[in-house]
Amino acid sequence: MRTRTLFDKIWDSHQIAETDPALLYVDLHLVHEVTSAQAFSGLELANRQVRRPDLTMATVDHGVPTTGRSLGIRDPLSKRQVDALRSNCERHGIQLYDIDDPRQGIVHVVSPEQGMTQPGMVIVCGDSHTSTHGAFGALAFGIGTSEVEHVLATQTISQKKPKTMAVEVGGHLPNGVTAKDLILGIISRIGVSGGQGHVIEYRGEAIRDLSMEERMTICNMSIEGGARAGMIAPDETTFAYLEGRPMAPKGAAWDRAMADWAELRSDLEATFDSIYSLSANELEPHVTWGVNPAQTTSITGTVPEPDAYSDLAQREAAVRALAYMALTPGTPIVDIPIDHVFLGSCTNARLEDLRAAAVVIAGKKVNHRVSAIVVPGSMQVKQHAETEGLDKIFTDAGFEWRDAGCSSCLAMNPDVIPAGARCASTSNRNYEGRQGRDARTHLVSPAMAAAAAIAGHFVDVREWS
Amino acid sequence: MNRYRIAVVPGDGTGPEVIAEAVKGLRASADHHGFELDLVYSEIGGERYLRTGETLTSQDFGLLREVDAILFGAIGHPDVKPGILEQQVLLRMRRELDQYVNLRPVKLYPGVTSPLASVDPGSIDFVVVRENSEGLYSGTGEFRERGSDREIAIQESVNTRTGVERCIRFAFELAAKRPRRHLTLCGKTNVLTYAWDLWQRVFDEVASEHPSVTTGYAHVDALCLWMVEDPGRYDVIVTDNMFGDIITDLGAAIQGGLGIASGANLNPNGVSMFEPIGGTAPGFEGRGEINPLAAIGASAMLLDSLGEVEASVKLERAVGQVAGSLPSLRAGEMGISTAEVGDHVVRLLLADEAAGVAR
């Protein structure tokens, strides 16, 4: 029998017919208020039902406010979207974690947290960062609105088979260097199109060392490296995370699942279409200086000189990026002043992220020039954090402690970064205008964002006392 | 989730300002319709030419050939001798990428003032398909006895069977997709008897393959008259390079001016380029007063070419709504800034998305 990668195994077990493009069965369809609206109305126009409401889960996240929720949603557009999702879910019998539900949150945080995301699944959602769920050894990718309609109607998705890429990370992440720094490091090496047309499997010692939440951070940003999806083979860490979660299998079903999941790894002799290797030992905390996640350097570095790029396109992109970011080549990264700090998003707003930031800021005050907010990834994360007293640490330091949602990551709700302001953000995208018109985004890890909030500029969190 | 790689060429003058708003529209569409955009910016234009002496480099072509589409602002620079950028950038790009169709939608949105006093809003909605690679623009001709009293300058109109046929085929296919399914051939068969004989023969031949499309013919002079007196009669107009150049400007005038006029240079089998046709508007550079609607409209056309039809329709609709709400479409007279017009379009786009659901 031919050797297969983890990806091949999931693909083969979900392929309904040997066609090109293939038709895949979908085990879990995640829905939020922004990309689902058209899909539901399309369904109704065609007089069709949702094929498997029991395999469909919805939450509100993209446009919801993160403050004053008891007053309802003030923004009329967001309100309409949420109202629509509510009535669509009701009509079709879909579980919705609504704005007042204690489980509400960012779709990519809620599903793993509830134990819905499981190894070996095919998971889709009308959102780029669906790749997050690959952390569990699932094949998870974003789909467009018309595809959302297709999945609602048929529970299947038509897909061209992607190529496979292995990213092998040896060594160990040094102290103060996080999963966020690792994925930024990978993207800066392979480039924003480096993973184009591929599904990445992250492997190696440094990956095995990661917690589930860290693995989610890695897989989440696969899309920023151009890949269709990212995945990590499930192991004891995965199983320990899942056991006992509300939607995880129980009893005999759990034992059967464990037996199946144990098979979910690339065969020893399996070959990938491409392989990229790096060592975690040499990594440092990263800060993006430009307008894509590959335009990044380490905290000890400086804003680059565009002429240092031999490639014309890269040089021109650097010139543009520096103009937008209002940065001068040669400026040490630690000298860049910060106006806003956003600790949130599907990349970095889980409990461990909040803990990492809280350690840095405990007993300190946010710099007087900085406005800083914490937006937990879900209301569950928020609640757990409050049980641990993290909220107190944040608010004492001068952070605002918000309700869960996508918030400033993409500024679809009121949490917009003002024009010209510079934001240290734990999110995943830094293109022009992402966080608000003319807002300048620097992507960093939670610890780095927290340290910047206190200092008022970037600092090397490894030297933080 | 589809992923598209788009080359963005903001260019000179007000190009960067309007392209920034077009990108805003593209990004919002991507977020709401679930597709990914990789935008690759290029410095092609007068500024770079003055700095480096380069018009189009092999690296530029490397980029332009490998992307899914090109979003183009405008190029032209007061310090660059006229003709250099036009010949060595615009025409060369068009030729090398074989963009053989110039597409110019002409639509009068409700609320927009047309210089035509008697037209009803909504009555002007046609598309000009202009042959973009040959005709009088092929550059062939000669001088005879140059400098003498008997000098003759001959400019040749070159019309190849291949060139004419692919343009006409494109026009029929486009017309077949539109609700009215009507195609008008605009020429001058009574005087330019060689070129237009070929056009007419090919037109008739391709028409027989498209029984669902009704056809008509107008001499270019008559068509100009009707475009002013009764523009509502046209759906798709196909014409050659020279006539197309003229009637598309007339089209821009009756739809409310250059502020709303978007166009595309298409290679239906290759890489196409989408642009506001207004140029660099040097007097308005850096003032935030230029109208970005033409550029945003061009990005809507770009989405259509990628197959993101629904996203395209929505974006274009939002452009139309904003156009109708502005006191004027002219630069400096819009009442709000360039960026605010862009924000307004995005806002309406989102409202439209939300409305789709709530019904």
Side-chain angles (χ1 to χ4, degrees):
Chain A
M1 198 175 148
R2 74 188 172 96
T3 58
R4 295 186 299 168
T5 63
L6 167 61
F7 162 79
D8 293 325
K9 291 180 183 180
I10 300 179
W11 182 274
D12 292 349
S13 64
H14 287 76
Q15 190 169 359
I16 293 163
E18 298 266 339
T19 49
D20 183 29
L23 194 63
L24 298 181
Y25 193 75
V26 173
D27 299 301
L28 177 62
H29 183 196
L30 305 171
V31 172
H32 61 84
E33 79 276 23
V34 172
T35 48
S36 64
Q38 296 300 321
F40 277 110
S41 43
L43 209 60
E44 254 146 55
L45 280 177
N47 207 12
R48 301 187 75 149
Q49 298 301 308
V50 174
R51 169 89 181 144
R52 290 294 299 267
D54 56 324
L55 302 182
T56 311
M57 184 281 275
T59 185
V60 290
D61 56 8
H62 277 63
V64 296
T66 56
T67 54
R69 284 187 178 173
S70 56
L71 305 172
I73 302 177
R74 284 178 65 183
D75 183 284
L77 292 180
S78 294
K79 184 168 178 343
R80 263 155 87 187
Q81 289 180 326
V82 170
D83 286 348
L85 183 62
R86 202 170 281 152
S87 73
N88 284 327
C89 286
E90 203 167 303
R91 193 169 324 140
H92 295 283
I94 294 167
Q95 165 88 60
L96 168 68
Y97 298 114
D98 208 339
I99 191 153
D100 52 359
D101 192 297
R103 296 163 295 183
Q104 176 269 338
I106 306 174
V107 67
H108 308 309
V109 177
V110 172
S111 174
E113 186 170 80
Q114 292 302 317
M116 286 179 223
T117 299
Q118 293 166 20
M121 283 183 161
V122 167
I123 301 175
V124 298
C125 173
D127 185 85
S128 310
H129 296 102
T130 308
S131 57
T132 311
H133 307 270
F136 291 80
L139 175 59
F141 49 89
I143 56 177
T145 300
S146 55
E147 292 172 308
V148 171
E149 185 178 336
H150 188 275
V151 178
L152 285 173
T154 65
Q155 202 59 27
T156 64
I157 179 91
S158 177
Q159 278 294 297
K160 239 189 131 43
K161 191 171 186 175
K163 293 181 186 160
T164 54
M165 172 188 268
V167 171
E168 300 190 332
V169 190
H172 301 279
L173 285 175
N175 257 342
V177 181
T178 67
K180 180 64 157 288
D181 303 305
L182 172 54
I183 188 63
L184 286 174
I186 291 170
I187 295 168
S188 73
R189 285 164 173 80
I190 68 171
V192 289
S193 301
Q196 189 123 31
H198 290 74
V199 167
I200 298 177
E201 182 182 338
Y202 301 95
R203 14 198 272 154
E205 202 174 6
I207 299 295
R208 281 195 297 275
D209 281 353
L210 299 176
S211 71
M212 280 320 293
E213 298 195 356
E214 292 172 318
R215 293 180 190 185
M216 284 189 250
T217 301
I218 301 287
C219 289
N220 172 276
M221 288 189 68
S222 301
I223 188 89
E224 310 309 332
R228 278 303 273 132
M231 54 207 311
I232 294 172
D235 58 13
E236 288 308 320
T237 305
T238 320
F239 307 146
Y241 177 97
L242 273 168
E243 192 168 13
R245 297 210 172 243
M247 311 293 274
K250 307 275 180 327
W254 172 261
D255 297 334
R256 276 197 307 277
M258 286 281 283
D260 291 344
W261 295 344
E263 302 299 315
L264 291 171
R265 58 172 62 104
S266 292
D267 297 330
L268 277 178
E269 306 291 318
T271 53
F272 292 83
D273 294 304
S274 59
I275 296 181
Y276 188 87
S277 306
L278 74 158
S279 165
N281 296 334
E282 66 203 39
L283 289 170
E284 295 186 285
H286 278 66
V287 179
T288 65
W289 50 264
V291 293
N292 72 51
Q295 290 178 325
T296 182
T297 186
S298 77
I299 183 64
T300 54
T302 54
V303 174
E305 192 68 61
D307 287 343
Y309 291 96
S310 53
D311 179 70
L312 176 71
Q314 280 196 23
R315 187 158 73 233
E316 290 183 350
V319 170
R320 273 195 73 77
L322 294 182
Y324 181 81
M325 295 296 288
L327 291 172
T328 312
T331 309
I333 297 294
V334 291
D335 288 351
I336 299 173
I338 290 302
D339 310 301
H340 284 257
V341 168
F342 170 60
L343 184 46
S345 88
C346 57
T347 310
N348 276 131
R350 299 179 182 83
L351 194 56
E352 290 175 12
D353 298 316
L354 304 194
R355 284 180 188 148
V359 166
V360 170
I361 62 160
K364 300 188 172 65
K365 292 283 179 206
V366 169
N367 186 283
H368 64 95
R369 292 191 313 101
V370 176
S371 148
I373 64 172
V374 186
V375 184
S378 71
M379 293 309 278
Q380 289 284 291
V381 169
K382 184 176 186 185
Q383 191 206 316
H384 285 300
E386 288 176 356
T387 312
E388 294 182 12
L390 300 184
D391 57 323
K392 186 96 178 48
I393 297 175
F394 282 113
T395 51
D396 283 352
F399 276 83
E400 283 186 53
W401 181 248
R402 299 288 189 89
D403 289 331
C406 299
S407 180
S408 304
C409 174
L410 74 174
M412 270 190 195
N413 79 341
D415 306 341
V416 178
I417 306 297
R422 196 178 289 287
C423 181
S425 178
T426 65
S427 54
N428 41 52
R429 290 194 162 167
N430 54 343
Y431 61 68
E432 296 97 325
R434 169 76 172 182
Q435 295 195 291
R437 187 212 298 169
D438 294 330
R440 298 171 181 138
T441 303
H442 295 272
L443 302 177
V444 287
S445 74
M448 286 285 289
I454 303 299
H457 55 85
F458 289 113
V459 287
D460 190 339
V461 75
R462 292 170 301 182
E463 292 163 7
W464 194 257
S465 51
Chain B
M1 193 169 264
N2 290 318
R3 189 168 194 128
Y4 307 108
R5 198 164 155 82
I6 313 292
V8 182
V9 185
D12 305 314
T14 52
E17 291 166 63
V18 297
I19 289 303
E21 303 313 308
V23 166
K24 212 185 264 177
L26 285 178
R27 293 283 194 196
S29 298
D31 281 343
H32 283 79
H33 287 269
F35 54 88
E36 298 286 337
L37 289 175
D38 292 327
L39 303 183
V40 190
Y41 283 84
S42 166
E43 303 275 295
I44 295 167
E47 284 287 344
R48 188 182 76 180
Y49 173 73
L50 288 174
R51 210 170 58 235
T52 67
E54 292 162 336
T55 47
L56 280 177
T57 65
S58 55
Q59 279 200 348
D60 291 333
F61 276 115
L63 171 68
L64 298 178
R65 284 208 177 87
E66 56 110 15
V67 292
D68 296 306
I70 304 164
L71 180 64
F72 193 88
I75 62 166
H77 199 287
D79 301 339
V80 180
K81 202 172 123 207
I84 292 181
L85 296 169
E86 292 82 351
Q87 288 289 335
Q88 293 180 34
V89 179
L90 290 174
L91 290 177
R92 198 158 152 237
M93 215 151 114
R94 215 172 279 177
R95 198 172 54 241
E96 300 263 344
L97 298 174
D98 201 16
Q99 293 164 337
Y100 61 82
V101 167
N102 179 257
L103 194 67
R104 272 279 296 115
V106 177
K107 198 165 178 176
L108 179 65
Y109 293 103
V112 172
T113 312
S114 168
L116 306 182
S118 61
V119 302
D120 300 325
S123 66
I124 304 180
D125 182 4
F126 62 86
V127 183
V128 178
V129 176
R130 166 186 171 189
E131 202 291 318
N132 209 28
S133 63
E134 46 186 48
L136 275 166
Y137 289 60
S138 60
T140 60
E142 62 179 305
F143 295 108
R144 291 192 192 156
E145 303 185 44
R146 189 162 180 210
S148 78
D149 292 348
R150 295 183 303 170
E151 176 169 353
I152 306 171
I154 300 171
Q155 191 84 40
E156 291 165 343
S157 173
V158 177
N159 298 264
T160 66
R161 166 84 200 195
T162 313
V164 171
E165 185 176 333
R166 65 184 183 175
C167 177
I168 286 176
R169 283 197 179 281
F170 177 86
F172 270 101
E173 281 157 25
L174 176 68
K177 280 189 280 185
R178 289 169 59 94
R180 288 165 64 197
R181 287 185 288 200
H182 185 67
L183 178 63
T184 305
L185 176 67
C186 164
K188 194 70 185 170
T189 51
N190 54 349
V191 177
L192 306 175
T193 49
Y194 299 102
W196 289 96
D197 188 80
L198 174 64
W199 275 80
Q200 183 77 64
R201 272 185 284 127
V202 176
F203 186 81
D204 292 344
E205 203 178 299
V206 180
S208 66
E209 298 170 25
H210 290 272
S212 72
V213 177
T214 58
T215 56
Y217 172 82
H219 292 317
V220 61
D221 45 334
L223 185 123
C224 286
L225 186 123
W226 287 116
M227 264 174 78
V228 172
E229 290 203 336
D230 181 22
R233 63 169 60 195
Y234 296 117
D235 181 22
V236 179
I237 299 167
V238 62
T239 190
D240 77 353
N241 215 337
M242 182 76 247
F243 296 160
D245 194 8
I246 299 166
I247 67 172
T248 52
D249 267 27
L250 179 53
I254 65 171
Q255 76 181 129
L258 293 175
I260 190 78
S262 319
N265 293 304
L266 299 179
N267 175 344
N269 308 310
V271 183
S272 300
M273 182 179 108
F274 301 83
E275 60 182 341
I277 66 162
T280 55
F284 289 94
E285 184 179 349
R287 290 166 54 175
E289 293 179 348
I290 192 77
N291 188 342
L293 289 174
I296 307 173
S299 68
M301 293 174 75
L302 184 153
L303 288 176
D304 183 71
S305 82
L306 296 176
E308 295 291 343
V309 179
E310 201 172 307
S312 166
V313 168
K314 294 246 160 86
L315 185 55
E316 195 241 22
R317 194 184 300 161
V319 165
Q321 284 173 314
V322 173
S325 72
L326 294 174
S328 163
L329 296 180
R330 300 173 72 88
E333 298 172 14
M334 299 186 294
I336 53 176
S337 73
T338 304
E340 284 166 340
V341 173
D343 290 347
H344 200 160
V345 170
V346 169
R347 192 86 193 143
L348 283 176
L349 182 69
L350 309 198
D352 192 4
E353 301 289 348
V357 240
R359 64 169 173 238

